[in-house]
Amino acid sequence: MGVPAKHMFVTGGVVSSLGKGITAASLALLLKQRGYKVFLQKLDPYLNVDPGTMSPYQHGEVYVTDDGAETDLDLGHYERFAGVTCTRQSNYTTGRIYSTVIQRERKGGYLGGTVQVVPHITDEIKKAVLTCADSGADIIITEIGGTAGDIESSPFLEALRQLRVELGPENAVFVHLTLLPYLSASGELKTKPAQRSAGIMRSIGIIPDVLICRTEVSMEEEHFRKLSLFCSVPRAAVIEEKDVKNSIYEVPIELAKQGLDSLILRKFNLPENKLDLSQWNAMVARAINPDSGEVKIAVVGKYMALRDAYKSIFEALSHGAIDQGLELKIECIEAEDLQSRDPEEFLGSVDGILVPGGFGYRGLDGKIEAVRYAREKDVPFLGICLGMQCAVIETARNVAGLNEADSLEFHPETPHPVISLMDEQKSVVNMGGTMRLGAYPCVLEVDSKACAAYGVTDVSERHRHRFELNNEYREILEKAGLRLTGLSPDGTLVEVVERPENRWFTAVQFHPEFKSRPLRPHPLFNAFISASFQGKQK
Ligand code: GLN
């Protein structure tokens, strides 16, 4: 048997949205760059079994893993920062834990017993954490959603408290992320809320090993000392995490400067090894000083008010721009605005147009308008999932003359269902976790733009959809100038369409944004950014 895995638990205090995900992901990168194999996991305290049934307004983007789990967007940070591949094991919700326990109870798994939060729910949580060791990781980082003191997160914290006792303090470390509010009127940085949140943790039996303080301004020595004293955390384990100016990818560099990774390794009794951040530093330097020009991309969607709804899309665009030394300007355009006003007003000055994935009818015609604009004005276009379906509907309506062409999702009675329900979806009744999900292979035409971007014909990409291009319309669409350049290996599903008449017009049924990394930008995003910038040069 190998050495047992070490566990790090990342909790949050004072407020939500402190950036626990980015902090956990940054720590994972640092530990990985010191030679350790890291696995990341998030425990979410809500009752949905997964976030797949929530509106993006509630929860932000639903991140999809290779193995087809619909998960929290923090997993995107994990994969982007630490270059790890997350799995179903990487995200558990209260709903998922409870439904496992309740199903077991119904099957008689606890016959004769009373099923309780402690120990049955807490045992199930511990199991979810401990089975991460199956990944073969040296270090497992578990982030706990919510804020210390929330009613909902208490079973998770209780389970982790028990785990630390069982595993021993050298195998289980608690990192608590907290907030130091800055009062600009008096010019003061306050430590009281952070003291209170560490106090809440203490009251449930957890003394954090490390306190990470989110702050707008630099901390003074007195803040470090005060927090150390009141929170029972050694001075050296009070870490400042100040807002970064330019790029979230600066966070690991700032944390490394304070020796956070060495501190954790010492707590684990693990050799410190050398930290190699050379590639990461070079990428951040390029991100901070783009010296090759500017590129402006319009993203036309329906949840534009909440940037988290398109997190991976924005990140993937930025990866392409960073790679090419370009400054990226994103114009967030509400699709509905294109329905009532001249698209020129919104799209006239952009270098590229992206229509992302989505569900529901609202804004659909605006997205189709955006595709029409891109096609007619020859503006580089990238369509993703619903964005590809919009490109198909646009060609059917405006080029092939099928005025009423539509998707069955929006118009069950349409005479021309150019987008129809996949066969495997026809018998599906439940909404949760039943779409076509996760990684599927796709074969590209050799002389396509997509193949030129990837440099190979066989690719694998992640999916999350129920509808597909209706094969009965393949010929009509091809005659109207839409080339079907990517198919499932058996040829039955259209995964990529292009317009060869345009400079760069590619739309995909899958979600390439989930696989883009700052150190390995996604080929399609890279090619789209490049075509957009080149068009602008003309
Ligand atoms: N609503 C469409 C479908 O289910 C597209 C989904 C998406 O864009 N993720 O097929």
Side-chain angles (χ1 to χ4, degrees):
M1 231 183 78
V3 185
K6 305 279 185 182
H7 289 267
M8 171 161 43
F9 305 126
V10 181
T11 61
V14 182
V15 291
S16 58
S17 305
L18 270 185
K20 273 199 305 272
I22 289 176
T23 305
S26 300
L27 269 162
L29 169 72
L30 297 178
L31 297 168
K32 182 178 160 231
Q33 293 311 108
R34 282 191 187 264
Y36 291 97
K37 187 166 181 230
V38 185
F39 187 84
L40 289 119
Q41 178 186 52
K42 175 146 194 218
L43 305 178
D44 273 312
Y46 50 76
L47 280 167
N48 303 60
V49 171
D50 63 43
T53 51
M54 272 187 248
S55 150
Y57 279 130
Q58 287 280 315
H59 190 268
E61 153 187 294
V62 173
Y63 191 78
V64 180
T65 56
D66 267 343
D67 65 353
E70 298 176 276
T71 72
D72 186 78
L73 59 78
D74 275 331
L75 273 70
H77 295 310
Y78 303 167
E79 293 206 344
R80 287 188 285 269
F81 278 71
V84 297
T85 299
C86 290
T87 68
R88 273 178 196 285
Q89 282 293 102
S90 307
N91 198 190
Y92 280 85
T93 67
T94 297
R96 184 170 166 195
I97 298 281
Y98 269 80
S99 64
T100 307
V101 171
I102 291 169
Q103 277 171 36
R104 190 179 300 132
E105 186 277 331
R106 290 290 79 187
K107 284 187 187 148
Y110 306 98
L111 271 190
T114 307
V115 184
Q116 294 179 295
V117 174
V118 183
H120 301 101
I121 294 295
T122 46
D123 279 354
E124 200 58 34
I125 295 170
K126 288 194 277 186
K127 198 157 118 197
V129 174
L130 290 172
T131 49
C132 289
D134 298 347
S135 65
D138 307 305
I139 301 171
I140 292 152
I141 303 180
T142 300
E143 175 193 344
I144 297 90
T147 309
D150 289 351
I151 291 175
E152 293 130 322
S153 56
S154 52
F156 287 114
L157 294 175
E158 167 59 17
L160 301 181
R161 182 196 66 75
Q162 296 171 14
L163 254 189
R164 158 129 83 182
V165 177
E166 288 160 23
L167 296 172
E170 72 289 1
N171 295 320
V173 160
F174 277 92
V175 172
H176 187 62
L177 188 69
T178 187
L179 175 73
L180 306 194
Y182 177 67
L183 302 185
S184 51
S186 59
E188 271 182 300
L189 193 60
K190 306 303 283 183
T191 61
K192 186 78 80 194
Q195 293 175 36
R196 303 287 305 177
S197 75
I200 293 170
M201 295 296 288
R202 258 199 325 275
S203 71
I204 50 184
I206 299 169
I207 298 182
D209 299 280
V210 179
L211 195 68
I212 302 184
C213 307
R214 293 281 293 109
T215 168
E216 272 174 68
V217 299
S218 295
M219 291 164 63
E220 306 288 338
E221 187 52 30
E222 80 172 270
H223 301 120
F224 286 99
R225 297 228 164 269
K226 216 176 190 175
L227 285 164
S228 166
L229 184 70
F230 285 99
C231 303
S232 302
V233 175
R235 159 67 185 85
V238 181
I239 304 285
E240 172 186 284
E241 191 182 315
K242 198 168 130 185
D243 294 355
V244 284
K245 278 200 209 75
N246 304 292
S247 162
I248 52 165
Y249 299 124
E250 290 173 72
V251 173
I253 300 175
E254 293 306 316
L255 294 176
K257 277 188 197 155
Q258 295 178 71
L260 176 60
D261 45 333
S262 325
L263 181 88
I264 303 260
L265 289 171
R266 282 199 301 275
K267 295 220 171 271
F268 281 145
N269 273 329
L270 287 173
E272 280 180 47
N273 305 342
K274 196 175 148 349
L275 174 66
D276 177 8
L277 275 185
S278 49
Q279 269 192 310
W280 192 267
N281 285 332
M283 178 274 293
V284 170
R286 277 200 306 282
I288 295 177
N289 289 311
D291 53 11
S292 302
E294 187 192 288
V295 66
K296 202 194 270 184
I297 303 294
V299 177
V300 183
K302 111 182 205 202
Y303 317 104
M304 297 321 300
L306 183 73
R307 288 188 68 105
D308 271 357
Y310 299 106
K311 189 91 210 160
S312 294
I313 300 255
F314 293 152
E315 290 304 309
L317 286 170
S318 86
H319 302 158
I322 293 171
D323 196 59
Q324 294 168 52
L326 296 171
E327 182 171 356
L328 172 69
K329 292 262 154 62
I330 296 180
E331 297 277 323
C332 294
I333 297 172
E334 279 295 345
E336 277 178 306
D337 287 342
L338 298 183
Q339 290 165 205
S340 51
R341 285 159 59 186
D342 183 0
E344 187 69 32
E345 206 184 301
F346 298 93
L347 302 172
S349 68
V350 304
D351 309 315
I353 297 173
L354 188 155
V355 177
F359 296 83
Y361 181 65
R362 186 173 69 79
L364 183 81
D365 288 330
K367 293 174 195 174
I368 293 172
E369 257 318 283
V371 181
R372 188 184 60 76
Y373 188 95
R375 179 179 57 79
E376 290 180 351
K377 307 270 177 182
D378 202 11
V379 181
F381 172 77
L382 177 58
I384 293 179
C385 209
L386 180 61
M388 172 186 128
Q389 299 175 356
C390 288
V392 171
I393 298 172
E394 198 279 329
T395 287
R397 283 186 192 172
N398 302 334
V399 186
L402 308 176
N403 297 339
E404 291 173 74
D406 217 316
S407 164
L408 283 183
E409 178 178 3
F410 311 119
H411 238 124
E413 309 300 329
T414 173
H416 296 295
V418 287
I419 303 295
S420 56
L421 199 58
M422 281 184 283
D423 279 343
E424 69 208 51
Q425 287 289 330
K426 288 185 178 147
S427 55
V428 166
V429 222
N430 285 349
M431 294 299 276
T434 55
M435 278 184 258
R436 180 179 185 227
L437 289 166
Y440 284 91
C442 166
V443 182
L444 302 170
E445 292 282 332
V446 181
D447 56 348
S448 63
K449 290 273 181 12
C451 187
Y454 282 99
V456 290
T457 49
D458 291 17
V459 300
S460 166
E461 293 285 358
R462 299 181 192 172
H463 293 249
R464 181 173 186 250
H465 61 111
R466 288 190 204 281
F467 295 83
E468 61 162 333
L469 188 149
N470 183 342
N471 289 329
E472 285 172 26
Y473 287 87
R474 280 192 188 191
E475 216 179 304
I476 296 179
L477 291 165
E478 283 188 298
K479 279 204 183 112
L482 202 66
R483 229 185 122 199
L484 316 178
T485 58
L487 301 179
S488 56
D490 65 0
T492 57
L493 296 170
V494 177
E495 311 279 33
V496 186
V497 301
E498 297 185 14
R499 290 202 69 91
E501 271 174 37
N502 286 59
R503 271 184 300 141
W504 205 91
F505 186 112
T506 302
V508 294
Q509 186 59 76
F510 44 79
H511 289 270
E513 69 273 24
F514 294 141
K515 286 179 76 173
S516 189
R517 312 275 175 266
L519 295 181
R520 209 184 62 228
H522 193 285
L524 286 178
F525 278 87
N526 231 352
F528 171 57
I529 291 280
S530 165
S532 303
F533 183 65
Q534 278 164 23
K536 171 193 171 118
Q537 295 313 96
K538 281 190 190 154

